[in-house]
């Protein structure tokens, strides 16, 4: 059984940083993708950063240069380092994993992902 458990959310001022962690169990990435999505109140869920089994990362334009996705296979953990946070980054952040390969142009779409964590809240406010 695949389990994804996020942690590391919290409240931070604009310009601050947070690191999210996703503890992964029961999942073999192989050719699949793992990544981070977020959902703000009243909005749909959007892809933030995803990473394939070869380590290639794809980022949403809104977070490029500020967020970094990484993975520690020894710890079975996926990370999202978020720097220079902005008010519009406020959302619930979800860790996700796919069953198989996702073409690069579809990787930031939630439809390709079968496994989801419960989410962790990130609030950016002054």
């Amino acid at each position: 059984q695949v389990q994804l458990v996020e942690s590391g959310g919290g409240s931070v001022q604009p310009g601050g940083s947070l690191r999210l962690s996703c503890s992964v169990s029961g999942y073999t990435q192989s050719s699949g993708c793992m990544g981070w999505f977020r959902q703000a109140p009243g909005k749909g869920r959007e892809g933030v950063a995803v990473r394939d089994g070869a380590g290639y990362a794809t980022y949403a334009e809104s977070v490029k240069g500020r967020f970094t996705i990484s993975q520690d296979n020894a710890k079975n953990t996926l990370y999202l380092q978020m720097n220079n946070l902005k008010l519009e980054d406020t959302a619930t952040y979800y860790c996700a994993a796919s069953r198989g390969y996702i073409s690069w142009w579809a990787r930031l779409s939630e439809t390709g992902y079968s496994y989801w964590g419960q989410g962790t809240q990130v609030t950016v406010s002054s």
Side-chain angles (χ1 to χ4, degrees), residues 4-126:
L4 307 175
V5 181
E6 304 95 336
S7 61
S11 296
V12 65
Q13 292 184 337
S17 297
L18 283 174
R19 188 177 79 157
L20 305 183
S21 299
C22 175
S23 177
V24 182
S25 60
Y27 178 73
T28 301
Q29 186 170 10
S30 187
S31 61
C33 289
M34 296 187 65
W36 294 93
F37 291 72
R38 67 186 180 186
Q39 187 167 20
K43 295 187 177 181
R45 190 150 52 185
E46 64 171 348
V48 175
V50 300
R51 179 186 170 97
D52 67 14
Y56 183 80
T58 304
Y59 294 94
E61 286 295 328
S62 60
V63 306
K64 278 183 180 178
R66 300 189 298 121
F67 290 12
T68 303
I69 187 171
S70 63
Q71 192 167 340
D72 186 332
N73 291 327
K75 295 183 178 179
N76 292 325
T77 303
L78 184 73
Y79 300 101
L80 184 68
Q81 177 67 43
M82 305 186 294
N83 297 328
N84 190 22
L85 282 159
K86 302 178 179 182
L87 296 174
E88 54 265 38
D89 294 318
T90 294
T92 301
Y93 284 71
Y94 298 90
C95 177
S98 70
R99 284 201 177 102
Y101 178 80
I102 302 175
S103 299
W104 68 266
W105 62 84
R107 290 180 179 180
L108 291 178
S109 170
E110 63 175 320
T111 58
Y113 296 82
S114 300
Y115 308 108
W116 294 87
Q118 81 288 351
T120 186
Q121 178 66 37
V122 171
T123 302
V124 185
S125 68
S126 54

